[in-house]
Amino acid sequence: MTVRRGAGRRAFEILRKVSRDLYWCDRCNVPLLTRVCGLCGGEGRPVKLTPPADARPALGLEYVQLWKLIESELDAQCPYPRRRIVVLNKIPYVDSADEVVVDGYIVGHRYYDPLRGTWRFKPLYYGVSAILKSKVGYYAIADVETLERGFELHAEDLLEANLPRRGSEKFVAVGTKSGYEGVGIYTKRKRIRVLKSWRAKSFEWNSSNPSWLDAARANEARLAVLEQEAVDFLRKIAAKYPLPPVVSFSGGKDSLVAFRLAQKAFGNVPMLFNDTGLELPETIEYVKRVAQSSGAELIVASAGDAFWRGLDVMGPPARDYRWCCKVAKLVPTAKALRERFAGGALSIVGQRGAESASRARGLRVYENRWLPNVIVAAPIHSWSALEVWLYIFKERLPVNPLYFKGFDRLGCWLCPAIEMSEAEAVKRLHPELWAKWEGYLKTFSEKRGLGDAWVRLGLWRWLAIPGDVARMVRLLAGQEPPLSARGPRFRAELEGGRVLVELEGFNGALSFEALAEALSSLGVAKVEEGKLTLNGVPVVVEKTEDALRIAVEGAKRVDDVVKAVVRAAYCIGCGSCELWCPKGAIKVVNWRFRVDSDVCAHCGMCNSVCPVAEYATRAQAFENFLSQARA
Ligand code: SF4
Ligand code: SF4
Ligand SMILES: [Zn+2]
């Protein structure tokens, strides 16, 4: 199941460092965060999970569908005991994939096949032993001494078997009399191709069926230590940075725990919810309910339709092209924080290191260049998902109902970080939302000749498609992954003290006044007698049917001119420059920035905080890279 090369391997190594241990009490049949069980005092058995071992409970629909999936994969009644406690642990793959743990034993991998658009279950280890022992599901006892990956078992190699009627790519549990076990796939040529094998280990299912509340009780001591440490941390940070605390509440489980910890540290704390315009309605309702029931002040930041306006200019966001986060998250959050806390704020967030390699690299206390006068503190940075969930059960906190409807991660419903399995969950719950997005992607893909796989396999989620995904596309779709840059196209060069910028494909209107307001970031820009000047030197502007050329004399950096020109031509009115301008010279009016040239100090800050300018520059760099690669 593992797909780890290059960048994937580096991310894996980073996540390994934040990996947490998991134990299992065989007497009480509960997962343990530390070796000792809080229910019986006995010692737990280590459960070896794939790093970062960010295990979580299977809940609601996910739980129900898991048992159905196992049965449909085995074409038999599930041979594993149907416990209330089932643990899922994310593993690296091209889409969603989890180790499935029952009674503290890994019974297999559940994973989403993005090509077929279905979930699969592959029995492994104890899951294979259970099939062989019960003879329920597809299995084969082979008359071979050893079992190795790549072996093909023919009918004459088998002592006993229950195989699918036709070659079907179904998984088959394989055992040998010599003590090997493995899993194979039943091929169209009616052979079992061994995918993985190991030495069989004996085990017994447990006989008890406790609940997650029992598991929380078994871990109370560890949860108390975690809570105390996090509360102390928050108080220490608040003493160091005497700013009013506010919890950034996304509606997810992690921010729910951060909120509870902040309440314990400071009493009643306001919560800030940023409505990106891409929240599922369940989340919006839920956030209101939590605020009401806790009596906390709810500050709502709203991006309105900033994402959709940005889309026209920037094209679909991608994991390596997240203009959306700035436009729909950080800018509205910063605005709301500034309005409510003029002197700055201590923003408490639910970020955890195990969520991703970039978060694992991040600090527990930091400043974000997009959030002026804000110190960000992440009290549960080192917590695992299981610690978060057990804390929620212990405190009986009200979780977002989406966790019971097949979602294990919440956020913008069309975030490029989603897996295709998560897109399926959105599609199932809110088909109208996904249809709108898919319609947009199809039109975008058609215009650029990117083909069907670009939408179907979710390739829009990257500019540079990672190696494992590219391999999947080659293998499954039989084609090279189509690559596409997005966003405004431009060419820029410095020629003897003159910067030339050409906006390709620009067919909108752009007045000298609008250009002057953007160029005032570089110096004194004026429009007099129908002429545009910068620092007294004429700016040459040439407009053709589908391009705009601008020549600016005496600018120090090409990049600054590019950013000013891109802002002038493609402003989406996100308000970042208005927020950051140290002179208060900018106002966004009708989704466009306006500069009061009498107040502007030409500091250039507005260029450096414009997400459109920043991401257009990044996208152009990628386009240049593609052109070179094609040449
Ligand atoms: S940030 Fe404000 S003061 Fe600085 S260049 Fe832009 S408009 Fe002028
Ligand atoms: S120019 Fe200002 S308002 Fe317009 S997109 Fe850039 S930062 Fe946002
Ligand atoms: Zn116990």
Side-chain angles (χ1 to χ4, degrees):
M1 182 57 52
T2 50
V3 183
R4 290 195 295 269
R5 288 182 212 189
R9 168 158 282 286
R10 279 195 296 282
F12 181 77
E13 289 306 327
I14 291 162
L15 287 170
R16 185 194 285 278
K17 290 190 186 134
V18 295
S19 196
R20 307 304 295 259
D21 294 333
L22 181 73
Y23 301 89
W24 206 275
C25 176
D26 283 324
R27 202 175 304 168
C28 309
N29 202 14
V30 289
L32 300 176
L33 303 169
T34 56
R35 205 175 264 277
V36 179
C37 173
L39 293 177
C40 69
E43 197 165 292
R45 157 176 60 87
V47 181
K48 218 171 148 230
L49 297 179
T50 299
D54 201 31
R56 66 186 194 282
L59 297 173
L61 191 65
E62 204 175 34
Y63 177 89
V64 172
Q65 286 181 337
L66 174 67
W67 299 112
K68 279 195 190 152
L69 172 67
I70 294 173
E71 295 194 341
S72 79
E73 195 68 65
L74 304 182
D75 286 327
Q77 262 207 335
C78 180
Y80 316 137
R82 201 174 275 237
R83 300 289 182 232
R84 285 185 282 183
I85 294 180
V86 174
V87 169
L88 299 175
N89 178 46
K90 264 196 198 324
I91 49 176
Y93 183 53
V94 289
D95 210 277
S96 295
D98 298 293
E99 284 163 339
V100 180
V101 181
V102 177
D103 283 4
Y105 298 111
I106 295 175
V107 295
H109 288 171
R110 170 191 96 131
Y111 64 96
Y112 187 78
D113 178 340
L115 188 70
R116 294 187 181 85
T118 53
W119 284 95
R120 303 266 340 241
F121 175 78
K122 177 161 74 174
L124 283 164
Y125 316 120
Y126 301 100
V128 162
S129 300
I131 293 172
L132 292 170
K133 214 193 290 186
S134 63
K135 301 196 172 165
V136 169
Y138 296 121
Y139 71 93
I141 311 291
D143 186 17
V144 290
E145 272 310 301
T146 61
L147 210 52
E148 276 179 33
R149 186 180 169 184
F151 271 19
E152 289 224 334
L153 300 172
H154 299 228
E156 57 269 27
D157 296 325
L158 308 181
L159 296 169
E160 183 189 341
N162 173 36
L163 296 172
R165 249 174 280 143
R166 272 167 292 153
S168 56
E169 303 285 308
K170 282 261 183 188
F171 294 113
V172 178
V174 184
T176 70
K177 293 279 180 206
S178 55
Y180 282 94
E181 286 181 353
V183 64
I185 196 133
Y186 196 52
T187 68
K188 294 204 168 66
R189 290 156 63 210
K190 298 201 169 190
R191 290 171 190 171
I192 302 168
R193 193 171 66 247
V194 178
L195 300 173
K196 193 176 176 71
S197 66
W198 54 88
R199 271 266 176 211
K201 283 187 196 153
S202 66
F203 81 107
E204 289 295 330
W205 293 122
N206 207 293
S207 56
S208 62
N209 187 14
S211 70
W212 278 105
L213 288 176
D214 297 319
R217 274 197 295 278
N219 288 285
E220 246 167 31
R222 170 68 182 157
L223 293 172
V225 170
L226 284 171
E227 178 189 273
Q228 193 56 52
E229 193 281 334
V231 168
D232 290 347
F233 159 79
L234 285 174
R235 289 187 180 140
K236 208 169 89 196
I237 295 304
K240 186 170 175 193
Y241 303 98
L243 295 166
V246 54
V247 175
S248 270
F249 191 68
S250 67
K253 68 182 191 312
D254 299 330
S255 60
L256 177 64
V257 168
F259 177 54
R260 179 57 142 207
L261 293 168
Q263 282 182 315
K264 294 207 173 187
F266 309 119
N268 211 354
V269 190
M271 56 207 301
L272 183 138
F273 171 63
N274 178 38
D275 182 353
T276 55
L278 301 167
E279 307 296 326
L280 289 175
E282 290 83 349
T283 294
I284 295 176
E285 279 306 307
Y286 164 74
V287 170
K288 284 184 198 153
R289 272 203 312 277
V290 174
Q292 244 165 28
S293 63
S294 65
E297 176 193 357
L298 177 62
I299 304 159
V300 179
S302 175
D305 63 352
F307 173 80
W308 300 100
R309 275 184 284 116
L311 200 57
D312 286 341
V313 171
M314 306 301 285
R319 293 183 191 192
D320 45 354
Y321 180 58
R322 288 201 201 199
W323 58 266
C324 47
C325 282
K326 314 299 173 294
V327 166
K329 271 189 188 167
L330 288 165
V331 173
T333 298
K335 271 197 229 168
L337 284 173
R338 178 170 283 188
E339 264 164 37
R340 174 64 178 76
F341 305 100
L346 174 63
S347 170
I348 297 159
V349 298
Q351 283 165 8
R352 295 185 304 107
E355 287 175 285
S356 66
S358 67
R359 294 229 160 137
R361 273 191 230 108
L363 299 172
R364 204 177 180 192
V365 182
Y366 60 93
E367 289 178 64
N368 183 320
R369 79 177 181 92
W370 295 90
L371 297 174
N373 302 325
V374 174
I375 299 292
V376 185
I380 60 167
H381 190 262
S382 64
W383 290 33
S384 69
L386 195 58
E387 286 167 338
V388 166
W389 278 112
L390 289 170
Y391 187 76
I392 285 172
F393 297 140
K394 170 182 161 292
E395 295 282 305
R396 297 185 184 245
L397 302 179
V399 289
N400 191 322
L402 288 171
Y403 285 116
F404 299 94
K405 294 183 179 177
F407 292 79
D408 79 82
R409 215 169 41 151
L410 306 179
C412 300
W413 58 264
L414 53 62
C415 175
I418 59 169
E419 305 292 4
M420 292 312 281
S421 63
E422 295 170 292
E424 279 303 317
V426 175
K427 215 186 276 185
R428 192 181 53 237
L429 200 60
H430 291 286
E432 73 295 346
L433 288 180
W434 196 260
K436 177 180 176 184
W437 182 233
E438 207 167 53
Y440 166 81
L441 290 173
K442 280 184 179 157
T443 309
F444 187 90
S445 161
E446 273 160 26
K447 272 192 199 150
R448 298 183 178 222
L450 296 168
D452 168 54
W454 190 78
V455 179
R456 193 165 41 90
L457 298 178
L459 303 181
W460 58 271
R461 295 171 295 164
W462 295 273
L463 288 182
I465 295 186
D468 52 354
V469 179
R471 275 191 291 281
M472 172 193 76
V473 177
R474 282 185 208 111
L475 195 75
L476 302 182
Q479 65 178 76
E480 278 302 307
L483 295 171
S484 168
R486 338 174 171 174
R489 293 276 67 83
F490 62 83
R491 265 208 312 253
E493 58 190 45
L494 181 65
E495 213 184 69
R498 227 160 80 109
V499 176
L500 297 168
V501 179
E502 178 175 332
L503 295 182
E504 296 165 19
F506 179 77
N507 50 19
L510 187 58
S511 66
F512 275 7
E513 283 73 18
L515 255 177
E517 288 182 29
L519 290 174
S520 75
S521 56
L522 308 174
V524 180
K526 285 188 180 158
V527 183
E528 281 169 340
E529 295 169 6
K531 290 204 175 94
L532 171 62
T533 57
L534 177 63
N535 295 327
V537 182
V539 175
V540 180
V541 181
E542 196 188 330
K543 176 86 183 75
T544 64
E545 214 170 82
D546 61 351
L548 179 74
R549 288 191 203 101
I550 293 166
V552 176
E553 298 281 350
K556 288 190 198 87
R557 284 165 21 112
V558 178
D559 205 36
D560 294 338
V561 182
V562 166
K563 286 188 169 171
V565 173
V566 166
R567 287 177 62 227
Y570 294 112
C571 173
I572 59 168
C574 76
S576 180
C577 54
E578 176 184 330
L579 183 77
W580 281 88
C581 171
K583 296 289 175 188
I586 304 184
K587 282 272 162 297
V588 172
V589 183
N590 293 333
W591 309 121
R592 209 195 138 74
F593 75 95
R594 302 301 315 266
V595 176
D596 182 342
S597 53
D598 293 337
V599 181
C600 171
H602 323 297
C603 68
M605 174 67 101
C606 43
N607 286 339
S608 59
V609 297
C610 173
V612 169
E614 175 166 332
Y615 283 87
T617 311
R618 286 194 201 184
Q620 184 59 53
F622 181 67
E623 175 69 36
N624 295 346
F625 161 79
L626 283 184
S627 312
Q628 275 169 12
R630 283 182 196 125

